[in-house]
């Protein structure tokens, strides 16, 4: 069956040259964007209930832009002035660059990994006597605490924001040929909003092995998978599939 409509369970890209828009124009398919999940900040009161005192830490480990936003939000709510001596360990260059929204980059001690969390280990090792705070979500990857525990440093995780399921009730009578998912929570959101969802001819596209596992455990048939050697991105996987079925 040909693909004429696609729903991407993420916010619409802000860049004009997004590959999604190229697919839309090139293959004359309709692509809509709708986040199935959203981020909610945890209150300063709840942070205190986690026994977290921001003044206790010399270093902050940042694994996402959301972590940056919500650390500084909580600091403001607590009226905690982040000292200029604070060290920031950023998992990627993108996160380090985003940090400039809150701090004067050249005046701060900022250490940057390549991409994976493990890339930060040699940098963290250099400051093994520091006390590290890890502001994160309620969906923290297992490899992060495991890596920090192996390093033997003093650290504490804090749930500064949570991943919540969005209300999709307005999509009840809307049908798409392809649904694209990027996280297990996105799959959970589909079934929370539509407990009677039946796949039938709807094609399911998933990104990542954990999303694939969650989809299969919920009885979904996976039609489009990314990343793969041939299609390292969701857009490449979609294009490859569209070419094969829209002949």
């Amino acid at each position: 069956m040909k693909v004429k409509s696609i729903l991407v369970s993420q916010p619409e890209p802000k860049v004009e040259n997004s590959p999604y828009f190229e697919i839309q124009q090139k293959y004359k398919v309709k692509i809509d964007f709708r986040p199935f999940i959203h981020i909610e900040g945890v209150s300063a009161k709840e942070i205190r209930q986690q026994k977290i005192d921001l003044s206790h830490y010399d270093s902050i480990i940042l694994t996402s832009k959301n972590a940056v936003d919500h650390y500084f939000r909580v600091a403001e709510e607590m009226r905690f002035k982040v000292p200029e001596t604070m060290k920031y360990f950023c998992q990627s260059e993108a996160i380090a660059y985003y940090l400039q929204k809150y701090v004067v980059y050249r005046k701060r001690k900022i250490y940057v990994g390549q991409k994976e969390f493990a890339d930060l280990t040699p940098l963290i090792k250099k400051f093994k006597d520091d006390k590290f705070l890890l502001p994160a979500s309620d969906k923290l990857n297992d490899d992060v605490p495991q890596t920090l525990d192996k390093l033997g440093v003093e650290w504490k995780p804090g749930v500064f924001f949570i991943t919540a399921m969005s209300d999709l009730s307005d999509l009840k009578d809307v049908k798409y040929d392809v649904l694209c998912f990027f996280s297990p929570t996105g799959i959970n959101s589909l079934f929370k909003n539509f407990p009677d969802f039946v796949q039938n001819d709807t094609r399911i596209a998933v990104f990542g092995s954990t999303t694939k596992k969650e989809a299969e455990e919920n009885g979904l048939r996976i039609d489009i998978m990314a990343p793969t050697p041939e299609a390292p991105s969701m857009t490449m996987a979609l294009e490859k599939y569209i070419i094969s079925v829209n002949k």
Side-chain angles (χ1 to χ4, degrees), residues 46-238:
E46 289 171 287
I47 297 293
R48 290 190 186 98
Q49 287 172 347
Q50 296 177 51
K51 295 184 168 53
I52 292 174
D53 176 355
L54 298 186
S55 65
H56 183 71
Y57 301 95
D58 317 288
S59 298
I60 307 296
I61 301 172
L62 300 165
T63 58
S64 70
K65 292 178 183 178
N66 283 324
V68 176
D69 283 335
H70 289 282
Y71 170 74
F72 284 98
R73 174 189 60 79
V74 169
E76 189 176 344
E77 283 182 23
M78 290 184 168
R79 295 178 182 169
F80 170 69
K81 190 176 187 307
V82 181
E84 292 190 9
T85 54
M86 183 68 75
K87 302 182 195 76
Y88 301 93
F89 292 81
C90 302
Q91 185 168 326
S92 68
E93 278 188 20
I95 296 167
Y97 184 77
Y98 188 73
L99 192 56
Q100 293 182 81
K101 184 178 173 183
Y102 298 96
V103 302
V104 181
Y105 205 83
R106 66 181 183 278
K107 292 184 178 179
R108 296 294 186 270
K109 297 172 181 176
I110 298 170
Y111 305 91
V112 187
Q114 298 301 310
K115 188 180 179 186
E116 303 300 326
F117 186 76
D119 299 332
L120 282 176
T121 53
L123 300 169
I124 292 172
K125 265 184 185 175
K126 291 180 181 177
F127 302 95
K128 62 180 186 299
D129 295 328
D130 276 21
K131 296 179 177 69
F132 293 86
L133 176 65
L134 178 73
S137 79
D138 55 331
K139 307 288 184 187
L140 183 63
N141 289 337
D142 291 340
D143 64 318
V144 175
Q146 288 169 5
T147 301
L148 290 169
D149 286 343
K150 283 179 185 175
L151 285 173
V153 294
E154 185 178 334
W155 73 283
K156 186 173 179 68
V159 177
F160 279 58
F161 56 98
I162 62 170
T163 306
M165 298 178 202
S166 302
D167 179 5
L168 307 172
S169 53
D170 57 302
L171 293 177
K172 186 177 180 182
D173 298 316
V174 183
K175 300 288 185 246
Y176 290 90
D177 296 324
V178 179
L179 301 178
C180 302
F181 295 96
F182 300 83
S183 71
T185 316
I187 301 289
N188 295 336
S189 180
L190 172 69
F191 285 99
K192 185 188 177 188
N193 280 278
F194 311 110
D196 299 324
F197 175 80
V198 179
Q199 185 172 358
N200 293 329
D201 294 326
T202 304
R203 269 61 59 85
I204 299 294
V206 298
F207 189 92
S209 56
T210 56
T211 311
K212 179 175 184 281
K213 182 171 181 283
E214 189 67 33
E216 288 175 338
E217 286 178 357
N218 278 277
L220 295 177
R221 179 190 71 250
I222 309 300
D223 301 284
I224 304 163
M225 178 71 200
T228 65
E230 302 80 31
S233 68
M234 176 62 85
T235 49
M236 290 176 77
L238 284 171

